[in-house]
């Protein structure tokens, strides 16, 4: 497996800090080029996801270790960024939520558990399941994809080895072959970066296709902190030409940028 091949560099412990940082960065520069080669695979998967989500489907990620954590991160960022329900994009990690912070022994080796975890959400054929596994051989992910596919659920994956068991289990595999890691086998590095980039591309493209962006603005974002309230106020002012005070009043009344813009002529005294 390419992800287990020996690093292009050796005697890492003898490198200076500058050499370490420079060489890691040189390796990281290759990742976007590997991702670019997988765009046709991503396009096919996103197109199918959007079809189902427009009919009420949801998007699920499953993975173990770093891969699982990246799926959880991507899913958790969709509600505040796009104002969607927390149930629309769901990240599930082998070993449960405690595995987000600490390794759970043997969790990734159970080929039956992913499907059990998905049953909690009553996953059905309108939904999509994406398995994330750098190696492409994680039993937890393979088993989940196989069961989902048998149940008529759309399946995709993000892997960093070609021709893997995970890719074979998915209808729409995304294979991003980034090569050996700087520290041999440490797939949290280039492989993790590639997975994060692909997840960004998939979820962002899906949300835009679902109408959750206007122009280039996050008009449905949740106003959960002072920074986002300022950003939202500036959006409303830019789009409508109203004053800062008026923009703040509209946001307080209607809750998000989209609704504030649509109700710019609202007058509580009428």
């Amino acid at each position: 497996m390419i992800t287990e091949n020996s690093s292009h560099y050796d005697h890492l412990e003898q490198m200076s800090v500058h050499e370490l940082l420079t060489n890691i960065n040189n390796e990281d520069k290759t990742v976007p080029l590997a991702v670019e080669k997988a765009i046709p695979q991503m396009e096919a998967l996103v197109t199918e996801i959007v079809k189902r989500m427009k009919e009420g489907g949801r998007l699920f990620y499953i993975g173990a270790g770093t891969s699982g954590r990246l799926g959880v991160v991507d899913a958790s960022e969709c509600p505040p960024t796009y104002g969607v329900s927390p149930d629309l994009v769901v990240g599930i990690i082998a070993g449960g939520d405690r595995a987000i912070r600490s390794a759970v022994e043997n969790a990734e080796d159970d080929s039956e558990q992913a499907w059990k975890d998905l049953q909690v959400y009553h996953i059905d054929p309108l939904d999509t399941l994406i398995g994330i596994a750098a190696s492409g051989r994680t039993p937890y992910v393979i088993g989940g994809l196989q069961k989902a596919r048998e149940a008529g659920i759309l399946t995709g994956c993000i892997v960093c080895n070609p021709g893997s068991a995970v890719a074979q289990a998915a209808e729409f595999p995304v294979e991003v072959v980034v090569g050996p890691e700087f520290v041999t086998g440490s797939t949290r590095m280039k492989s993790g970066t590639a997975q994060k980039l692909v997840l960004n591309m998939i979820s962002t493209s899906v949300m835009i296709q679902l109408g959750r962006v206007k122009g280039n603005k996050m008009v449905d974002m949740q106003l959960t902190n002072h920074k986002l309230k300022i950003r939202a106020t500036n959006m409303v002012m830019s789009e409508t030409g109203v004053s800062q005070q008026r923009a703040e009043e509209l946001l307080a009344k209607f809750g998000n940028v989209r609704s504030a813009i649509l109700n710019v002529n609202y007058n509580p005294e009428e």
Side-chain angles (χ1 to χ4, degrees):
M1 290 199 310
I2 294 174
T3 54
E4 297 294 329
N5 286 356
S6 184
S7 172
H8 294 136
Y9 301 82
D10 202 353
H11 306 299
L12 305 186
E13 74 281 3
Q14 297 176 18
M15 292 182 184
S16 68
V17 171
H18 178 76
E19 289 172 327
L20 287 169
L21 297 175
T22 298
N23 291 331
I24 292 171
N25 181 240
N26 286 336
E27 286 291 285
D28 287 344
K29 288 176 184 176
T30 68
V31 174
L33 298 177
V35 171
E36 181 181 17
K37 294 177 182 177
I39 287 177
Q41 294 179 322
M42 282 185 268
E43 181 181 1
L45 176 57
V46 168
T47 300
E48 293 300 320
I49 293 171
V50 171
K51 286 180 186 176
R52 285 160 178 77
M53 293 188 81
K54 283 184 174 179
E55 295 179 12
R58 298 163 295 172
L59 174 59
F60 290 86
Y61 300 131
I62 55 170
T66 297
S67 297
R69 294 181 188 105
L70 289 169
V72 170
V73 167
D74 192 78
S76 67
E77 290 173 346
C78 287
T81 306
Y82 300 109
V84 297
S85 165
D87 299 326
L88 189 68
V89 183
V90 179
I92 300 173
I93 183 170
D97 284 355
R98 68 190 179 101
I100 295 172
R101 292 184 179 275
S102 305
V104 176
E105 188 175 359
N106 299 323
E108 70 174 61
D109 297 329
D110 188 339
S111 61
E112 303 293 328
Q113 188 60 46
W115 186 241
K116 294 176 184 176
D117 292 342
L118 288 162
Q119 296 314 294
V120 175
Y121 298 91
H122 306 289
I123 191 169
D124 66 45
L126 270 183
D127 299 326
T128 301
L129 177 64
I130 295 179
I132 312 168
S135 67
R137 63 181 183 183
T138 308
Y140 180 85
V141 176
I142 295 168
L145 289 171
Q146 289 174 338
K147 288 287 189 180
R149 197 166 177 178
E150 290 171 7
I153 294 160
L154 178 71
T155 55
C157 70
I158 305 169
V159 295
C160 296
N161 281 313
S164 67
V166 167
Q168 291 171 11
E171 294 170 85
F172 291 89
V174 176
E175 298 172 302
V176 185
V177 183
V178 296
E181 298 288 358
F182 181 73
V183 176
T184 299
S186 181
T187 52
R188 74 182 187 90
M189 300 186 77
K190 287 196 299 181
S191 296
T193 300
Q195 291 171 326
K196 174 60 175 167
L197 290 174
V198 172
L199 286 164
N200 282 349
M201 294 168 77
I202 289 173
S203 60
T204 302
S205 298
V206 166
M207 290 298 154
I208 292 171
Q209 290 284 301
L210 293 177
R212 290 289 172 170
V213 171
K214 178 176 171 53
N216 57 18
K217 305 292 196 305
M218 300 180 289
V219 292
D220 292 321
M221 68 179 182
Q222 295 176 358
L223 309 184
T224 54
N225 59 50
H226 185 62
K227 176 192 73 175
L228 295 180
K229 290 176 182 177
I230 292 174
R231 181 185 297 168
T233 299
N234 289 334
M235 283 188 207
V236 175
M237 292 168 63
S238 175
E239 288 290 322
T240 65
V242 300
S243 68
Q244 178 179 333
Q245 181 180 348
R246 176 61 172 163
E248 291 172 349
E249 290 172 352
L250 288 167
L251 287 167
K253 173 65 178 177
F254 295 104
N256 62 38
V257 174
R258 184 191 299 275
S259 296
I261 292 171
L262 289 174
N263 292 281
V264 67
N265 295 319
Y266 168 78
N267 185 345
E269 295 180 358
E270 290 183 352

